[in-house]
Amino acid sequence: QVQLVESGGASVQSGESLRLSCAASAYTKYMAWFRQAPGKERKGVAAIRIDGGFQYYVDSVRGRFTISRDNASNKIFLQMNSLKPEDTAMYYCAAKDAGSLNLEGYNIWGQGTQVTVSS
């Protein structure tokens, strides 16, 4: 079973940037970032196909967040710019081998890293 470990979460001010990292113990075809705010459902943010680097974003983060990967180290990253208080959430890394480039069907999850954005 592939294991995922996130890092990089922090408390920042509105408008600042953060870069999250996720280290995978082995290759998976698709990886993604999800987030869950207190009292709300977990929602997808961005996904990447490891082979080729194709990316997928939800509208609320497109243009502010960038997902990328380092194939040599089995890591993905989420560069988050112009952070807003509504970006406050626990951010989770996820992975899957089946399906297509989207935010559905992920069956491997990390433990999460907290991002808090203050106004």
Side-chain angles (χ1 to χ4, degrees):
Q1 175 79 349
V2 175
Q3 294 183 326
L4 306 174
V5 179
E6 304 97 331
S7 61
S11 294
V12 297
Q13 297 292 315
S14 182
E16 293 185 341
S17 299
L18 268 180
R19 189 189 194 214
L20 304 182
S21 299
C22 173
S25 60
Y27 167 87
T28 56
K29 189 172 183 179
Y30 302 100
M31 295 183 72
W33 289 98
F34 287 73
R35 65 185 180 185
Q36 186 169 21
K40 296 189 177 181
E41 294 182 353
R42 186 165 56 188
K43 294 184 178 181
V45 172
I48 189 166
R49 197 179 91 176
I50 299 302
D51 298 326
F54 300 101
Q55 302 161 27
Y56 176 90
Y57 298 94
V58 295
D59 288 345
S60 59
V61 306
R62 187 176 291 113
R64 296 191 300 126
F65 290 10
T66 302
I67 189 170
S68 61
R69 93 287 191 207
D70 178 355
N71 289 2
S73 62
N74 282 334
K75 285 185 176 180
I76 66 165
F77 308 96
L78 186 67
Q79 178 66 43
M80 305 185 294
N81 298 329
S82 302
L83 282 162
K84 306 174 182 180
E86 51 263 43
D87 294 317
T88 294
M90 184 71 78
Y91 282 72
Y92 296 92
C93 179
K96 65 177 182 179
D97 279 315
S100 57
L101 181 59
N102 54 32
L103 292 167
E104 298 175 359
Y106 287 83
N107 57 352
I108 302 169
W109 295 89
Q111 82 290 348
T113 187
Q114 178 68 38
V115 173
T116 302
V117 185
S118 302
S119 58

